[in-house]
Amino acid sequence: SRAASMADAAGEDRSAARSLRVPLINYYFSMPLVTDGDNPRPIPELNYTQELERVKEAIADLNVLVRFHTYVATTHNFLSGLSKCVAIHFTGHGIPGSILFEHEHGRSASVTRAAIQEMFASHESKPQVAFISACHSESVRDAFIGAGIPHVIVVDQRSTVLDQASMTFAHQFYRHLLSGDTVRQSFDLAHANVVADQFAQEADKFKLVGDGDHDTAIFPQLEGGSLLDETRPHPDSQCDAVVEHLVGRAKQVQGVYEAFFRSRVVFVVGPRGIGKTQVALKACAYARERYLFDRILFLDLQRLELDDNALLATLGARMGLWVEGSDQASVGAASSLDTFAERARQHLGRSKVLLLLDGVDEWFRHFDNLLSDLVAQLVRRLDRLTIVITAVRDDSRVAHARRVNVPPLAPEDAAALFTKRSRRCLENNELYIDVDPDTGLSPLLAFARSTFMGAMRGNPRVIETIAGKMCECESIITSQTEFEEEIIPQAVREVSDELAREPSLRRVSTESPRFSMDVVGGQLRSNRGSTRESQTRGLQTIDADHRRLDEAWNKALQHALGENSVQLGPTGQQLVPFSYCERHIITMYRELLGEVASTRPLTQEHLSFLRTTRQWGGAARDSFLMPHVNGGYVSYQSLNNFGLWFLGMLRVIKLTGLWEPWGNGEIQRIQGFITRMDAETLLSGSAPGSFLIRVSSEMDPMLVVSHVVAPSTYSHSLVWELGGCFETQVGDLNTRHETLAALLDSMPHLLWFYPHTAKNMVLL
């Protein structure tokens, strides 16, 4: 009725008016693939999706009514999203004097201070807060302040900033800002949380600027409700999940993405195992996130029976013409290509569709005419269809297609992929397998130049196959000849007979005569002297103990699940009491540290620390998996998480050679299992330069040097072990030494071991 229609319209008006009163936060992200210009360079990939989720999570947890909109950071999106928003958040890359937006075709667009001011000049309403989470963004602060934004958060203009620190800062800032805290309080609390996450230097890079009163609460009392995510839904996609960070393929992904704008048919070609499918999938995901298509269809022809009817039946089902396996599919697949294409046109209409046909080589070999004609018919009938085809070579008769070649990975990218996929952490001497460390090359570049990496020919599938064998290989050095002459060539042959027929690489000697390695009688030899040889033997002994205890820990876990003390959690998972774990923790400690463990046994204080470490939560540091949160019980998964960390930590402790107390037992050269707060309590009242060493409860097996900078001011620096050496960051540079004692000796700001004993005396 007319009255009902009027009532509905009035209701919609009230809803719209209420929506306008609800505060709006605009989140802009920029992830161009390459730089702009004649010689584009790859741009490092940021983990912006995790930061976005953490910001939304912070808002959702508050149960307040807030509107939220996510945009790709282009000039058009930025201008269209400025109206009526209270806060804007930008995450992306920055360079001195500019932040990087996205330009067309996946390239970067440098946005200068002047351009930012011009964008804001056309809008009367201005946001109250601007969070510019980009390296060097302080260099454009004046553009936002000059535009009239009272509260601006930027990153120091001389600095880059770590992804993890940015995520934590943003999560905590919005959490406190939207709960009613002032801008300054929210900033300070976010800063404190980043410091608490062992990123003190990163926390200091964030700056709060602007002409507004930062002691003002922007959201003093928000209406109760839930997060209203107004982001446009992404189009449907049938594609398989893509590798989150595709190493060394930014240029090829950008080439495919740019081809979407220039051609209706795109071939992605390259040898088997080279990563064609991942490049195509990444380009499809990138296009989906930017709303380039309405639908994305995917068909893996390698898994399909070589039969023309099967091809049309399956493709028709993916297009939604019929249900796969139905009688209708059988009838439709038997029709002519012309009829099939016309039916697809009628069903898909004016939708903009992307179709990925993966692995077509066998089909072109056996059904060249069929597949080529099918592609031609579909492109002719559906004028908004784009087809991407992956193949070893383009043997088709498809006209006007663009081709993107996927070459072998560059040596440094190949080395980076290997270290990422390796089933264990490679030792430093393995990375310098063919190069003298004194040459000044970084470990990754040295590894990239090795004949070991060269034998894999930059083929990602071969690299991942060999990296997966590292858990069975104690050292690349002792197995180098076997890998280069047998294992790697076999992996190459399995990927492609064509690759194996290429001339094999000859083993070349190292360029520097000052350093050569060979294996004699199972021992590493080097002309650099016996110190490093002795250290390597020590490493091998420790790692053998580590592997033995790793097996013992796994057996203990299996045994724990068979005990009567096991309980079932709320989701049916098996839970083991922490008291059971204590026995095995103490056993591992004694067996790996040996005599040192008898002079310094684990105490109840140590066990309390271990009970509350976030390492029970694995990589996510999930606090809900800690024993003290679950009534003293832990799950099998959390036991496994803890065991991996604890065994690694014991290995690092043994390598330090400083675990045993010094003197008459009065000085603990490593305080050990204490928290950050405990460390600062111990150091309170100590003179500047006093320090102690403790175990990090947050980071993967690392130590922390806590020292007094000034009265009531403390610094906490991470120390990590790599290849038996110890490394830390001093200023913007990393410093590295073969022993922890040498590393500490090289740090002039560290003067006294806690409580007040000269460092040089203790290290002697």
Side-chain angles (χ1 to χ4, degrees):
S1 69
R2 182 177 180 184
S5 298
M6 292 176 65
D8 289 342
E12 290 176 3
D13 290 342
R14 284 194 298 273
S15 177
R18 180 169 178 263
S19 179
L20 290 174
R21 293 195 302 270
V22 176
L24 170 65
I25 296 175
N26 283 343
Y27 184 100
Y28 299 91
F29 69 90
S30 174
M31 189 55 252
L33 296 164
V34 297
T35 59
D36 202 11
D38 296 332
N39 185 26
R41 299 184 309 277
I43 294 177
E45 193 169 355
L46 297 175
N47 196 351
Y48 61 89
T49 53
Q50 189 173 346
E51 182 186 90
L52 172 61
E53 290 307 312
R54 292 198 66 184
V55 169
K56 290 167 64 175
E57 176 189 278
I59 301 171
D61 287 347
L62 294 173
N63 295 319
V64 292
L65 195 58
V66 174
R67 296 160 59 212
F68 193 89
H69 203 128
T70 306
Y71 297 92
V72 176
T74 63
T75 301
H76 175 268
N77 286 346
F78 194 79
L79 288 170
S80 63
L82 280 180
S83 299
K84 308 299 182 184
C85 68
V86 181
I88 59 172
H89 183 102
F90 170 81
T91 186
H93 287 285
I95 57 177
S98 303
I99 54 177
L100 298 185
F101 276 15
E102 289 186 19
H103 190 39
E104 62 180 3
H105 304 163
R107 294 173 179 252
S108 66
S110 182
V111 183
T112 62
R113 289 187 290 265
I116 294 169
Q117 287 177 321
E118 187 176 341
M119 284 190 283
F120 278 109
S122 59
H123 285 76
E124 292 184 7
S125 62
K126 303 292 194 303
Q128 293 294 299
V129 178
F131 192 142
I132 313 303
S133 182
C135 300
H136 312 289
S137 59
E138 186 186 14
S139 61
V140 296
R141 56 180 277 181
D142 292 341
F144 292 94
I145 296 172
I149 300 177
H151 313 288
V152 183
I153 297 175
V154 292
V155 175
D156 184 90
Q157 61 185 346
R158 298 163 298 179
S159 304
T160 58
V161 66
L162 294 177
D163 261 8
Q164 188 61 47
S166 294
M167 284 186 264
T168 300
F169 202 104
H171 176 270
Q172 294 296 330
F173 176 75
Y174 288 110
R175 174 188 170 195
H176 291 288
L177 188 70
L178 292 165
S179 63
D181 290 332
T182 68
V183 178
R184 191 183 307 280
Q185 287 172 330
S186 302
F187 180 88
D188 290 343
L189 288 166
H191 180 280
N193 273 274
V194 174
V195 171
D197 276 356
Q198 310 290 350
F199 292 113
Q201 292 178 334
E202 297 298 306
D204 292 338
K205 295 175 182 178
F206 292 93
K207 297 185 177 182
L208 174 60
V209 297
D211 299 329
D213 179 4
H214 300 323
D215 293 318
T216 300
I218 305 298
F219 305 102
Q221 193 170 3
L222 288 173
E223 182 179 347
S226 58
L227 174 68
L228 301 176
D229 193 345
E230 299 177 352
T231 305
R232 175 184 168 190
H234 288 107
D236 292 335
S237 174
Q238 299 172 353
C239 288
D240 292 344
V242 68
V243 175
E244 187 174 353
H245 295 291
L246 194 57
V247 177
R249 293 302 188 205
K251 282 190 175 183
Q252 288 73 41
V253 174
Q254 188 273 332
V256 176
Y257 182 72
E258 183 170 349
F260 292 159
F261 295 87
R262 304 184 185 278
S263 178
R264 302 276 307 286
V265 181
V266 183
F267 273 88
V268 183
V269 297
R272 297 186 188 279
I274 208 69
K276 302 179 295 294
T277 300
Q278 288 298 320
V279 166
L281 287 172
K282 190 76 170 181
C284 291
Y286 195 81
R288 177 177 182 263
E289 200 164 40
R290 284 143 189 84
Y291 305 99
L292 197 59
F293 299 96
D294 301 320
R295 293 180 64 184
I296 300 177
L297 312 178
F298 176 68
L299 182 58
D300 184 355
L301 274 74
Q302 296 173 99
R303 301 179 183 177
L304 201 60
E305 180 186 356
L306 277 170
D307 177 80
D308 53 353
N309 285 347
L311 171 62
L312 294 184
T314 306
L315 181 58
R318 297 297 169 89
M319 289 180 166
L321 308 185
W322 45 65
V323 176
E324 192 165 355
S326 65
D327 293 338
Q328 190 180 15
S330 301
V331 174
S335 61
S336 66
L337 290 183
D338 187 67
T339 302
F340 179 88
E342 175 59 23
R343 186 165 183 176
R345 185 193 67 80
Q346 293 175 1
H347 180 75
L348 296 174
R350 297 294 298 163
S351 296
K352 197 172 183 183
V353 178
L354 176 64
L355 170 62
L356 171 55
L357 299 175
D358 186 36
V360 301
D361 297 286
E362 289 298 312
W363 287 85
F364 275 135
R365 188 171 295 118
H366 296 283
F367 296 98
D368 181 20
N369 291 341
L370 169 69
L371 201 56
S372 297
D373 291 346
L374 173 62
V375 170
Q377 286 278 13
L378 290 173
V379 170
R380 183 172 66 86
R381 294 277 183 159
L382 286 81
D383 60 1
R384 304 192 76 191
L385 172 70
T386 299
I387 301 177
V388 185
I389 300 171
T390 69
V392 170
R393 59 176 65 86
D394 178 8
D395 291 333
S396 72
R397 299 182 294 103
V398 179
H400 309 298
R402 289 183 72 90
R403 288 156 185 83
V404 177
N405 292 306
V406 183
L409 287 171
E412 198 163 352
D413 291 328
L417 177 62
F418 190 94
T419 56
K420 277 178 176 287
R421 297 289 185 265
S422 174
R423 298 291 297 273
R424 64 175 175 83
C425 182
L426 300 182
E427 302 294 350
N428 206 48
N429 58 352
E430 294 178 281
L431 299 179
Y432 283 103
I433 187 170
D434 287 336
V435 179
D436 184 349
D438 292 340
T439 58
L441 292 178
S442 69
L444 187 66
L445 189 55
F447 192 48
R449 295 186 179 184
S450 67
T451 56
F452 177 81
M453 283 305 308
M456 293 177 234
R457 309 179 189 190
N459 186 289
R461 193 182 301 171
V462 174
I463 291 169
E464 293 187 357
T465 298
I466 302 303
K469 297 180 181 295
M470 287 299 100
C471 59
E472 307 162 9
C473 169
E474 293 186 8
S475 172
I476 295 175
I477 295 172
T478 57
S479 308
Q480 185 175 8
T481 301
E482 182 185 4
F483 268 97
E484 292 182 9
E485 295 182 359
E486 299 178 20
I487 300 174
I488 295 176
Q490 176 61 29
V492 171
R493 285 192 293 272
E494 289 174 359
V495 168
S496 169
D497 290 337
E498 177 185 346
L499 285 176
R501 284 196 298 269
E502 294 178 7
S504 59
L505 293 173
R506 287 182 302 156
R507 179 80 180 271
V508 296
S509 62
T510 177
E511 295 177 2
S512 172
R514 294 182 297 108
F515 182 77
S516 59
M517 286 187 177
D518 59 81
V519 178
V520 180
Q523 295 295 324
L524 178 70
R525 286 192 175 181
S526 163
N527 63 7
R528 296 183 68 200
S530 61
T531 301
R532 191 62 183 163
E533 183 177 341
S534 173
Q535 187 177 16
T536 302
R537 284 198 298 269
L539 263 177
Q540 292 170 346
T541 301
I542 291 172
D543 286 342
D545 290 341
H546 185 280
R547 286 189 293 274
R548 178 173 53 79
L549 286 178
D550 187 33
E551 293 173 1
W553 178 254
N554 285 326
K555 289 179 181 177
L557 297 188
Q558 295 294 338
H559 185 260
L561 296 180
E563 290 211 338
N564 295 329
S565 55
V566 170
Q567 291 189 3
L568 292 182
T571 59
Q573 76 273 32
Q574 293 177 304
L575 300 177
V576 179
F578 181 74
S579 57
Y580 176 88
C581 310
E582 282 185 348
R583 304 199 302 268
H584 297 284
I585 290 172
I586 294 170
T587 299
M588 283 196 296
Y589 178 81
R590 288 173 177 167
E591 291 201 14
L592 191 56
L593 297 186
E595 292 182 7
V596 177
S598 61
T599 59
R600 191 178 178 186
L602 280 181
T603 66
Q604 282 303 314
E605 288 76 12
H606 292 154
L607 291 170
S608 295
F609 172 93
L610 296 173
R611 189 183 292 111
T612 57
T613 177
R614 292 175 67 183
Q615 296 296 335
W616 295 93
R621 307 294 187 261
D622 188 350
S623 59
F624 290 102
L625 295 177
M626 297 182 192
H628 72 290
V629 175
N630 286 304
Y633 280 79
V634 289
S635 68
Y636 179 88
Q637 180 58 52
S638 57
L639 278 168
N640 188 54
N641 294 337
F642 174 82
L644 288 172
W645 171 79
F646 188 56
L647 283 170
M649 196 68 251
L650 291 179
R651 176 184 179 278
V652 172
I653 286 172
K654 187 164 186 176
L655 283 171
T656 67
L658 300 178
W659 189 248
E660 194 171 7
W662 179 78
N664 295 322
E666 299 172 357
I667 304 297
Q668 300 287 9
R669 292 176 290 184
I670 299 179
Q671 288 292 324
F673 301 108
I674 63 171
T675 66
R676 176 197 185 93
M677 186 177 297
D678 291 337
E680 293 184 356
T681 301
L682 287 174
L683 290 170
S684 62
S686 297
S690 301
F691 71 98
L692 59 80
I693 306 168
R694 59 186 176 87
V695 169
S696 172
S697 64
E698 299 291 330
M699 305 296 289
D700 289 336
M702 291 190 188
L703 300 171
V704 181
V705 177
S706 300
H707 90 280
V708 182
V709 179
S712 301
T713 304
Y714 310 96
S715 175
H716 305 271
S717 303
L718 287 172
V719 174
W720 56 93
E721 176 268 333
L722 183 63
C725 296
F726 289 86
E727 190 170 335
T728 190
Q729 186 173 6
V730 178
D732 293 330
L733 300 175
N734 285 4
T735 182
R736 184 179 195 189
H737 289 271
E738 289 193 351
T739 65
L740 179 59
L743 180 69
L744 296 172
D745 190 46
S746 73
M747 302 168 74
H749 58 284
L750 304 180
L751 302 177
W752 295 283
F753 270 93
Y754 171 82
H756 195 78
T757 303
K759 175 177 70 175
N760 59 346
M761 289 182 60
V762 177
L763 295 181
L764 284 174

